[in-house]
Amino acid sequence: MSFAELGLMPELLTALDAVGYTNPTPIQREAIPIVLSGRDLLAAAQTGTGKTAGFTLPLLQRLATLPVLHPAPKHRIRALVLTPTRELASQVEESVKQYGQKLKLSSMVIFGGVNINPQRDRLQRKLDILVATPGRLLDHVGQGNVDLGGVEILVLDEADRMLDMGFIRDIKRVLALLPKQRQNLLFSATFAPEIKTFAQNLLDNPAKVEVAPQTTTAERVEQRIYPVDRDAKKALLQQLIVDGDWKQVLVFTRTKHGANRLAEQLDKDGIPAMAIHGNKSQSAREKALSAFKAGKLRVLVATDIAARGIDIDALPHVVNYELPNVPEDYVHRIGRTGRAGAGGEAVSLVCVDEHKLLADIERTIRQKLERVIVPGFEPDPNAKPEPLRKPQAARQPRRDFPQRSAQGHAAQAPRSAGPQRDGQPRSSGGVAAGNRPQIEGGRDRGNGSRPAGSGQRRRPSGNV
Ligand code: AMP
């Protein structure tokens, strides 16, 4: 099926030609006709599936072809896209510009950590599509810079990440400012229970589209299990990195302590490595990330929560040094590789203690993963499983969320008081907005108070 057959207008087809897409991806095939029809949509699709074009193309077409739904004397924005991170916001807005190059629709991106004034100035002029991270959007709302009363289409992109990062209160505040009559599109990597609950409250009789993780990743991401003894994992990892000549690898551990120890050991053995997790200072995290992105650091060791806040595209190698407690995190982890059509490899070092976690993962992704025994690392067939070290750093399973969100405001209290980040209460010391490069400012709003109109809000530490 071609893009034309999906009902896209000539201006969009020309733009798609220019960017070189010939065929729609599965999520695009399913989502585009639904969005064009005006229906609400709940879509499970990871980054890398082409989801951005899946909502951007029909959104552009609706705005270009339909009369303004909520006319106002002054220019008001007609479509709002919320994303968890500034990088994703930028990417989405780039897509809007790219696909909408032949249309007379205007767009802008706003996120925290940069000077607010140029954004405020741009908001004074005509604007059709606003892509924003929630905290900075609310800053502008507080300053009276933006009127959300004309929004016809709302998109929540990577909604699961937004919930995970504590944006729920911000999103609810934004929702309260939107007109009732509008189209809602919710994209999430998985249909985890907390997303379903959230979607139930937000969406009106939505169409559901699910691009199963295993088919979206299997095409580009090679997944493999290396059965290995507990104590041989580090040596196996080193061998994989060195023999495979891996230049850039993201390694996941279950605990902060484990991340530190592994990074130190690798580094000592001559493989440049650093750890990022919730106990690291903002500057240490930034340093590790930029070194990794610049290719100066071969290995970045991360915990799940720490990795969620960062956008690193197109990683060739992801290693699960330890399997995650929650199967959905496996999906998130391997989603870090094989992006943008690039190939990727996601391998898991699995010892006898983790067999149950592995079974849970395989059930979730409905896929049996290939086992490869590396000569010299054959696991002891008589090894007895030990209970997984009670990670002082274990995160709350994401399944806990529905109860919290279902209970409304009061239920947010634990988060506001300092949510568990890798099991540690998050410190709430202020950090200047400009010091938080990867994660948009103001995830959790502390006690939720905000000096009206000042745009100055208490900032959390940004520790992830
Ligand atoms: P996304 O999942 O939206 O982050 O997109 C992942 C990557 O796929 C991006 O680099 C897009 O430019 C690319 N892409 C999206 N749709 C298509 C398509 N139909 N054909 C080829 N590449 C695409």
Side-chain angles (χ1 to χ4, degrees):
M1 185 177 270
S2 67
F3 281 109
E5 285 171 297
L6 292 177
L8 291 178
M9 64 201 295
E11 290 84 346
L12 293 172
L13 297 177
T14 310
L16 286 171
D17 247 10
V19 291
Y21 300 170
T22 45
N23 292 308
T25 65
I27 185 71
Q28 291 162 3
R29 273 200 298 275
E30 299 213 41
I32 289 172
I34 293 166
V35 180
L36 283 178
S37 78
R39 204 171 157 189
D40 278 10
L41 174 69
L42 173 60
Q46 287 179 276
T47 297
T49 56
K51 67 181 168 65
T52 314
F55 63 77
T56 305
L57 290 164
L59 177 149
L60 286 164
Q61 178 152 333
R62 283 183 67 80
L63 296 188
T65 54
L66 296 173
V68 176
L69 184 64
H70 307 292
K74 231 180 130 208
H75 302 305
R76 296 208 288 197
I77 62 161
R78 297 178 65 197
L80 173 66
V81 184
L82 291 181
T83 75
T85 65
R86 64 178 70 187
E87 290 186 12
L88 185 60
S90 298
Q91 282 165 22
V92 169
E93 206 252 345
E94 258 170 48
S95 299
V96 168
K97 284 206 158 40
Q98 217 173 21
Y99 308 142
Q101 56 188 264
K102 301 285 176 208
L103 299 171
K104 290 192 178 59
L105 293 167
S106 52
S107 64
M108 87 173 277
V109 60
I110 59 176
F111 46 71
V114 295
N115 190 342
I116 198 166
N117 294 336
Q119 296 177 352
R120 186 193 55 213
D121 295 345
R122 172 64 190 91
L123 283 167
Q124 306 305 312
R125 289 180 279 125
K126 177 178 165 353
L127 181 62
D128 297 298
I129 301 155
L130 178 62
V131 185
T133 49
R136 179 53 69 94
L137 176 62
L138 285 169
D139 285 339
H140 283 290
V141 169
Q143 291 190 6
N145 301 337
V146 62
D147 175 1
L148 298 177
V151 171
E152 300 168 29
I153 306 177
L154 168 74
V155 184
L156 298 180
D157 193 12
E158 299 204 355
D160 52 339
R161 256 173 99 186
M162 287 202 275
L163 296 197
D164 251 19
M165 290 165 69
F167 278 132
I168 184 83
R169 292 177 69 137
D170 285 351
I171 293 173
K172 284 184 176 167
R173 284 195 188 131
V174 172
L175 294 180
L177 301 167
L178 304 180
K180 290 231 163 0
Q181 195 191 353
R182 60 171 199 267
Q183 184 179 16
N184 301 293
L185 315 176
L186 190 153
F187 283 76
S188 167
T190 62
F191 281 160
E194 74 269 19
I195 284 294
K196 286 191 180 151
T197 309
F198 181 66
Q200 260 166 17
N201 295 325
L202 174 74
L203 306 175
D204 177 20
N205 184 28
K208 292 193 188 69
V209 167
E210 191 164 3
V211 182
Q214 72 273 29
T215 49
T216 60
T217 54
E219 289 160 21
R220 294 182 306 270
V221 181
E222 242 181 81
Q223 300 172 60
R224 203 173 306 128
I225 302 296
Y226 289 114
V228 61
D229 282 337
R230 195 183 302 119
D231 299 332
K233 282 191 176 187
K234 186 182 72 83
L236 175 57
L237 176 64
Q238 285 186 333
Q239 177 168 315
L240 291 172
I241 294 172
V242 173
D243 288 3
D245 197 21
W246 293 354
K247 299 277 185 280
Q248 214 182 22
V249 50
L250 179 61
V251 178
F252 284 95
T253 59
R254 297 171 62 239
T255 67
K256 291 176 288 191
H257 186 57
N260 275 341
R261 210 178 30 223
L262 180 62
E264 276 164 22
Q265 286 168 339
L266 290 174
D267 211 53
K268 214 168 76 203
D269 291 344
I271 300 176
M274 280 173 110
I276 55 165
H277 54 66
N279 278 7
K280 294 267 174 182
S281 71
Q282 180 71 14
S283 66
R285 285 182 53 235
E286 277 173 38
K287 202 170 135 218
L289 253 176
S290 53
F292 187 64
K293 285 185 170 183
K296 292 180 193 140
L297 193 63
R298 205 163 170 189
V299 181
L300 190 65
V301 188
T303 55
D304 287 288
I305 292 285
R308 273 186 187 225
I310 57 174
D311 281 308
I312 314 168
D313 269 334
L315 275 173
H317 302 283
V318 169
V319 175
N320 295 309
Y321 189 75
E322 292 155 332
L323 290 179
N325 289 335
V326 186
E328 283 83 3
D329 281 343
Y330 177 84
V331 176
H332 277 281
R333 287 179 177 189
I334 67 169
R336 293 277 168 191
T337 183
R339 291 184 175 189
E345 191 179 35
V347 304
S348 304
L349 313 191
V350 177
C351 73
V352 65
D353 311 339
E354 298 168 294
H355 285 176
K356 188 180 167 310
L357 294 179
L358 179 58
D360 286 349
I361 288 166
E362 292 187 319
R363 211 170 18 250
T364 302
I365 64 172
R366 299 193 292 278
Q367 198 177 357
K368 175 97 177 151
L369 299 170
E370 182 195 4
R371 270 72 167 165
V372 177
I373 306 234
V374 180
F377 289 93
E378 296 82 357
D380 174 1
N382 300 317
K384 295 269 172 297
E386 286 180 10
L388 289 167
R389 200 175 332 118
K390 190 82 184 164
Q392 152 220 29
R395 56 182 296 225
Q396 296 288 324
R398 295 165 66 209
R399 293 195 183 88
D400 286 352
F401 279 66
Q403 286 123 19
R404 287 210 292 267
S405 50
Q407 286 162 15
H409 259 207
Q412 298 303 319
R415 262 185 183 263
S416 308
Q420 298 268 309
R421 301 269 162 182
D422 290 351
Q424 294 295 316
R426 200 156 55 93
S427 78
S428 58
V431 162
N435 288 341
R436 281 175 292 106
Q438 299 303 328
I439 299 182
E440 189 265 343
R443 283 188 301 276
D444 292 313
R445 290 286 94 81
N447 61 10
S449 65
R450 168 199 308 275
S454 73
Q456 297 296 310
R457 284 174 293 124
R458 191 165 70 79
R459 296 286 189 181
S461 72
N463 250 3
V464 178

